[in-house]
Amino acid sequence: GVLAQTLMLVLAAFPLGVLFAYIVAQGIEWNMPVYLIHVLDTAGLWKTFIGVMVMTLLGSLLPLRVIARTDPTLAFQAE
């Protein structure tokens, strides 16, 4: 259901985000060689990935709890 869709979205979007960050970091290092940016740091990537997973799951589960508690007759009641 919703959790599977959320996990698929994260698993598809996270590598694209890392690729985008790598490209931007290379551009910054090329334009301003004083700054060295380590995007592909393994420990940092794992921490970021776990943080993204936790926040994404919370962001999908909390609205589901509100929706599950809502009475359908009140939600679709015409004013």
Side-chain angles (χ1 to χ4, degrees):
V2 174
L3 290 179
Q5 292 175 357
T6 302
L7 291 175
M8 287 190 314
L9 184 62
V10 169
L11 293 176
F14 190 78
L16 293 175
V18 170
L19 178 65
F20 181 69
Y22 180 77
I23 291 169
V24 169
Q26 292 300 315
I28 291 171
E29 289 178 4
W30 184 74
N31 285 325
M32 296 170 264
V34 175
Y35 301 105
L36 180 62
I37 302 170
H38 294 286
V39 174
L40 299 178
D41 175 35
T42 308
L45 280 176
W46 276 111
K47 290 176 187 176
T48 304
F49 181 73
I50 292 187
V52 166
M53 289 295 289
V54 168
M55 295 305 291
T56 303
L57 290 174
L58 285 176
S60 65
L61 287 177
L62 292 178
L64 280 178
R65 288 186 61 202
V66 172
I67 291 170
R69 292 181 183 178
T70 304
D71 184 17
T73 56
L74 293 176
F76 296 110
Q77 180 179 357
E79 291 188 22

